[in-house]
Amino acid sequence: MSQPDNPIVRFGDAVYEAAGQAAGWPTDLGGIDRTVPYGRGMIIKSGAPQSLGLPAPEARLRFGTELQELGGGPRRRLLMVGDEPAFELSSYCGTCPFLFRRLEGAKEKLSLQDVQAQLNGALHELDDGGVIDAYARLLPEGEYLPLLLSVKPRLVVPGEEGDYFSGEQVTTWGIDQFWGLPEYPHTPYYRTFETVVDTDAHLYEFVVPMVPPVWNERERVKQYVTLMEQGTVPTAVAVSTLDVCEPAVGAPVDHYQHWGLTHFLLDGHHKLEAAATASQPVQILSLLTLGESLAGKEDCARLPTLRAQPSAARIARA
């Protein structure tokens, strides 16, 4: 069933009724009726979980936990590049706000030259040209769910219009009670998709660059803009996490589970910026870690179905 680039989702409307029943969407959400400020997202392919990666000492990327000093606070959950912390991730507790926060170790891109020819265009299968095997050599050993997605990204600057951390997250958790401010990710990022999980949960999707867009080469971005406007759909590669977070106590304006699907870019920094600039689609080959996500395998297994739904923004409960 075709959808407009910015679909309006009205649960109960005939146009979505058949698809909603097939996907198991809720039908009692009080008449959600909002567009999302980014283009239509699509899932192209999804595969079965695969064992990928190298033992931790050999992998360029790994997930880890910060060593706790005597008398220190909670340990940080981290995405590491080599031995350096690159991103702080949502807390293990699952009740703290969803988070990705760039750290000093996020200072390089992780493109692989031997598969650039394949990635300059669209992939038609999950492992066209051995791309998964190539990037598996960067990953820590574990089980991964491969997803091939099409997105029209919107570049977001923290604190400005469209920022999740000062918008939807504050509606649920409020501001940080120590700093008196929303969570701050220390990086611009891309918003690409969101949809309803059920009456008490909502999926938000983000693409997070390893380095900020201002580090990108202007001429390469312009080249990709030109190619995309001529119909080329290139492919980016990401290692991804699904974190399910929900406040434990308090009386927020809108209490529900936030499902944060975060794609950390390994290849495709210029492509994502170009797609956002030109409002054109780009593919993302996502390798979702099952063992390092803050979500059960059952929740991760729902992603292909959720990702096939039309985009839908959440309206806070009155």
Side-chain angles (χ1 to χ4, degrees), residues 26 29 196-202 257 259 302 306 314 317:
L29 299 181
V196 174
V197 177
D198 56 38
T199 55
D200 296 311
H202 199 82
Q257 285 186 344
W259 289 37
R302 295 183 63 186
L306 292 171
R314 182 178 177 86
R317 296 171 179 171

Side-chain angles (χ1 to χ4, degrees), residues 158-221:
E160 297 187 5
E161 182 182 358
D163 177 29
Y164 163 84
F165 294 98
S166 57
E168 294 96 332
Q169 187 174 94
V170 168
T171 304
T172 295
W173 276 273
I175 60 174
D176 184 281
Q177 291 302 298
F178 179 79
W179 297 109
L181 295 167
E183 297 289 344
Y184 190 71
H186 290 183
T187 183
Y189 60 93
Y190 300 93
R191 294 192 68 167
T192 50
F193 183 76
E194 62 179 280
T195 197
V196 174
V197 177
D198 56 38
T199 55
D200 296 311
H202 199 82
L203 174 68
Y204 298 98
E205 182 179 72
F206 310 92
V207 179
V208 180
M210 281 287 175
V211 299
V214 293
W215 290 22
N216 290 339
E217 299 172 20
R218 295 301 99 202
E219 284 305 312
R220 286 193 64 191
V221 173

